[in-house]
């Protein structure tokens, strides 16, 4: 074994797909790219996510306590990276990147068309927001695009590198 830089540990553990987090505050929607998230529970579906207090979306998420998590397919990779490389403070990302939206059913943030799935979420726990910028969300409505059943997602590996979903294997499991 050889020493590994602690600043790069996240590259080893980053398991989930890169997602888009949409918010809306005072009628103004915004979207950011996010890869720091994880499932916490499956019934109800609880998701932990880190949204830096330096991100424009932080203020909207903290104020409205709701968002949409959209899971983009690999075909949207360049758009996803472009969204992550600019700020909603000075850029209308929906217009700039040609994102099409649909109204959500239970939250004010928009669903993002063309994605594999969209999760309407409400913030259910903020105890770690001030210390770690960690929000606990509950998915309260889920949408998926049946035509994208086998769509591939991208996974952040650090410094502009991404992995694309690979082969799927099925093994015997006692989990529900």
């Amino acid at each position: 074994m050889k020493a590994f830089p602690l600043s790069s540990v996240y590259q080893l553990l980053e398991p989930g797909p890169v997602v888009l987090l949409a918010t809306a505050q005072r009628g103004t929607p915004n979207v950011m790219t996010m890869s720091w998230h994880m499932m916490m529970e499956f019934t109800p579906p609880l998701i932990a996510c880190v949204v830096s207090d330096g991100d424009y979306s932080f203020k909207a998420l903290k104020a409205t306590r709701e968002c949409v998590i959209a899971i983009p397919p690999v075909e949207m990779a360049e758009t996803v990276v472009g969204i992550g490389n600019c700020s909603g403070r000075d850029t209308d990302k929906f217009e700039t990147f040609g994102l099409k939206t649909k109204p959500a059913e239970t939250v004010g943030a928009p669903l993002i068309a063309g994605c594999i799935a969209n999760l309407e979420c409400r913030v259910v726990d903020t105890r770690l927001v001030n210390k770690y910028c960690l929000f606990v969300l509950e998915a309260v409505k889920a949408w998926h695009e049946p035509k994208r059943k086998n769509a591939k997602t991208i996974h952040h590996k650090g410094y502009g590198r991404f992995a694309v979903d690979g082969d799927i294997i099925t093994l015997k499991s006692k989990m529900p």
Side-chain angles (χ1 to χ4, degrees):
M1 297 296 271
K2 182 180 173 187
F4 191 75
L6 291 175
S7 63
S8 299
V9 167
Y10 78 93
Q11 297 172 32
L12 301 172
L13 295 174
E14 198 64 58
V18 175
V19 299
L20 297 173
L21 182 128
T23 55
Q25 189 174 19
R26 293 185 210 113
T28 303
N30 187 46
V31 62
M32 67 172 275
T33 300
M34 181 174 71
S35 62
W36 291 0
H37 57 81
M38 69 174 192
M39 288 300 304
M40 293 177 63
E41 186 59 75
F42 52 89
T43 306
L46 297 179
I47 304 152
C49 67
V50 174
V51 178
S52 170
D53 56 8
D55 289 333
Y56 185 65
S57 296
F58 178 87
K59 188 176 176 182
L61 184 58
K62 194 170 181 182
T64 65
R65 299 178 63 97
E66 60 183 32
C67 64
V68 167
I69 294 177
I71 304 167
V74 67
E75 294 82 11
M76 289 179 68
E78 288 187 22
T79 298
V80 168
V81 172
I83 290 167
N85 284 331
C86 63
S87 174
R89 283 181 186 86
D90 52 27
T91 305
D92 178 340
K93 297 182 189 183
F94 293 94
E95 182 179 322
T96 300
F97 296 99
L99 294 176
K100 304 278 188 262
T101 63
K102 296 179 180 184
E105 192 174 289
T106 66
V107 300
L111 304 178
I112 300 175
C115 286
I116 299 165
N118 280 265
L119 309 174
E120 297 182 32
C121 298
R122 295 203 188 283
V123 175
V124 293
D125 193 332
T126 59
R127 287 178 284 182
L128 296 175
V129 169
N130 290 336
K131 189 170 184 177
Y132 298 111
C133 300
L134 188 138
F135 293 84
V136 178
L137 311 173
E138 179 179 345
V140 294
K141 183 76 179 183
W143 305 91
H144 76 107
E145 179 53 64
K147 295 175 194 166
R148 294 195 172 272
K149 184 178 179 184
N150 296 313
K152 303 279 187 186
T153 56
I154 59 172
H155 302 258
H156 187 238
K157 301 298 277 181
Y159 304 105
R161 293 178 35 241
F162 297 85
V164 177
D165 277 345
D167 295 333
I168 297 173
I169 62 172
T170 303
L171 304 172
K172 192 174 189 170
S173 172
K174 293 183 180 180
M175 296 294 291

